[in-house]
Amino acid sequence: LFERIAQLTGKNLPLAMLFQAPTIEQLAAILRQENWAPAWKSIVPVQPGGTNPPLFILPPAASTVLNFAAVIRHLPAYQPVYGLQYVGLEDNESPHQSVEAMATYYVDQICKFQPEGPYLVGGICFGAHVALEIAQELQRQGKSVALLVLLDAGPPANGPTWRYPRRFTLDHFRTMAETWREEGVTTWLYRRLRYRYVRLRNFLKPRKKYFEDAFAVHLKAYTSYQGRPYSGRMLLIQS
């Protein structure tokens, strides 16, 4: 939809704008403004109302804060929620190369937005690792972290030992055989071909290429990240 809007109007709206202008009428009003620019840099109001300290939350790798559209339905209206948008998903942006660099950047953004604690931080999947490092950095600065939530996070200390395999092993063949037994060879083959087709198509679409490039950077950042023991309390939620 936003690619079509850009083609017709020449204006590239950030995808997170759907939280601010979720209707056609509201999007049209923004498009009519001459020099419109988003009011945020990386902190996107997802559910800005409420009396509690705000919860700052990060999506999975190379994903936008739109991932939280379903999450906020389960949170009370008095809990403000702000999504931390990854740099590198929009035009002319270079993604941060490491989890530590992301955390440093977001801590600066968060402290400008909320100068004093207590801070509530969370993340999903890859975002959970960035949230962990944000909490570490806030503590190093002597700030209070009241809540650290990790959703579907893998072990944060794998570091460079974890890699996508470069060659097939017996375990891979066992996994493939199990998949074939459950889904059938035809279904498995279709999914693999469709995955390859989607990757090729993404490289031919400018906006989707940003996501492909950002995912590659985030994967490298994850594999090189070495999480350290955290002195505060954390809440780990696994699906």
Side-chain angles (χ1 to χ4, degrees):
L1 171 63
F2 277 31
E3 283 183 1
R4 292 290 301 276
I5 289 175
Q7 292 169 5
L8 293 171
T9 67
K11 295 185 178 182
N12 285 295
L13 298 179
L15 296 177
M17 176 50 59
L18 287 176
F19 277 119
Q20 304 300 297
T23 69
I24 293 174
E25 182 181 13
Q26 291 168 332
L27 281 174
I30 289 170
L31 290 170
R32 292 190 190 100
Q33 299 178 29
E34 286 292 330
N35 298 312
W36 180 87
W40 67 86
K41 179 61 178 175
S42 292
I43 297 180
V44 181
V46 176
Q47 181 172 283
T51 55
N52 277 14
L55 169 64
F56 300 96
I57 189 166
L58 291 117
S63 301
T64 72
V65 297
L66 291 175
N67 276 264
F68 306 130
V71 175
I72 60 174
R73 297 194 189 108
H74 301 281
L75 297 177
Y78 56 77
Q79 177 59 63
V81 181
Y82 290 86
L84 299 180
Q85 183 84 328
Y86 290 118
V87 175
L89 301 184
E90 303 291 346
D91 298 355
N92 303 318
E93 291 181 339
S94 297
H96 294 107
Q97 301 295 308
S98 68
V99 170
E100 291 83 357
M102 295 178 199
T104 300
Y105 171 78
Y106 290 123
V107 166
D108 180 65
Q109 296 282 312
I110 289 171
C111 291
K112 287 178 180 177
F113 186 90
Q114 182 190 344
E116 299 296 332
Y119 293 97
L120 282 62
V121 186
I124 302 175
C125 195
F126 170 75
H129 298 276
V130 184
L132 172 61
E133 190 63 28
I134 288 174
Q136 299 272 29
E137 180 62 28
L138 287 170
Q139 284 193 342
R140 280 195 293 269
Q141 296 183 14
K143 299 181 182 296
S144 171
V145 180
L147 179 66
L148 171 60
V149 184
L150 311 180
L151 294 94
D152 281 342
N158 280 354
T161 61
W162 185 89
R163 289 286 187 276
Y164 274 138
R166 296 190 176 184
R167 64 179 184 272
F168 281 104
T169 65
L170 183 59
D171 285 339
H172 296 121
F173 282 111
R174 286 173 179 164
T175 302
M176 289 172 60
E178 184 68 18
T179 304
W180 294 343
R181 186 181 66 81
E182 293 179 354
E183 300 182 359
V185 177
T186 304
T187 301
W188 177 86
L189 183 61
Y190 166 76
R191 285 197 296 105
R192 296 298 301 173
L193 291 174
R194 184 178 183 278
Y195 169 74
R196 294 294 179 185
Y197 164 73
V198 168
R199 282 183 61 89
L200 176 63
R201 186 185 63 185
N202 287 351
F203 277 107
L204 302 178
K205 291 190 175 184
R207 184 180 289 272
K208 289 184 178 180
K209 188 177 186 303
Y210 288 114
F211 288 84
E212 288 278 346
D213 293 344
F215 183 79
V217 172
H218 290 177
L219 178 61
K220 184 177 179 180
Y222 170 72
T223 58
S224 61
Y225 175 58
Q226 282 283 8
R228 297 180 305 282
Y230 177 65
S231 61
R233 295 182 63 187
M234 69 173 69
L235 174 63
L236 174 64
I237 301 175
Q238 296 281 23
S239 61

